[in-house]
Amino acid sequence: MSIEVNGNTIETTENGYLVNLEDWNEDVGKVLAEGEGIEMTQEHWDVVKYLRDEHFSNAGNEPNERTILKDMGKIWGKKVSSKDMYLMFPQMPSKQGRKIAGLPQSTRKGGY
């Protein structure tokens, strides 16, 4: 499978994740988000950037839902509920967020 971004063909897996992590940029993220039916806000980008930073700075770390909630709360300076995150990423923030962030499909089991 593949997506078209700014005249470039970007290869994806059958589940829509990037084959080559280096193909990602914000334009690719926007196209991936559109494919997920998500209109990106600054808070969406904060989650995406956080997930990318965790992956690349911490040996492929895959934060779970609770960790994402806690860390976004620190970044946004407010309490973030699970409901808030699932309104942003209905198919699970840690998994759908990773897809939009151009990261590999999660290998982590379970949700919380």
Side-chain angles (χ1 to χ4, degrees):
M1 298 179 65
S2 63
I3 57 173
E4 291 293 320
V5 181
N6 299 330
N8 296 315
T9 301
I10 309 291
E11 294 300 315
T12 62
T13 67
E14 63 185 33
N15 293 329
Y17 290 82
L18 294 187
V19 170
N20 182 355
L21 303 183
E22 294 179 17
D23 286 339
W24 191 88
N25 60 43
E26 285 195 14
D27 289 337
V28 172
K30 288 176 189 174
V31 171
L32 292 169
E34 287 171 9
E36 295 291 304
I38 294 175
E39 187 174 324
M40 297 294 282
T41 65
Q42 183 57 52
E43 288 185 339
H44 285 90
W45 287 117
D46 289 343
V47 173
V48 164
K49 289 173 183 174
Y50 164 78
L51 291 171
R52 288 184 60 81
D53 185 57
E54 282 297 308
H55 180 83
F56 291 111
S57 298
N58 294 313
N61 185 35
E62 297 180 21
N64 64 18
E65 309 310 313
R66 183 168 292 164
T67 303
I68 294 170
L69 290 176
K70 286 180 181 179
D71 290 343
M72 289 299 100
K74 291 174 188 171
I75 290 169
W76 297 333
K78 64 181 182 180
K79 183 170 173 53
V80 181
S81 72
S82 183
K83 181 178 179 181
D84 295 332
M85 292 303 291
Y86 275 87
L87 286 171
M88 292 173 60
F89 298 100
Q91 296 177 12
M92 189 177 264
S94 64
K95 295 182 191 252
Q96 200 169 29
R98 285 180 67 77
K99 181 184 281 187
I100 295 167
L103 299 172
Q105 188 166 354
S106 179
T107 57
R108 194 175 39 76
K109 302 283 186 206
Y112 248 77

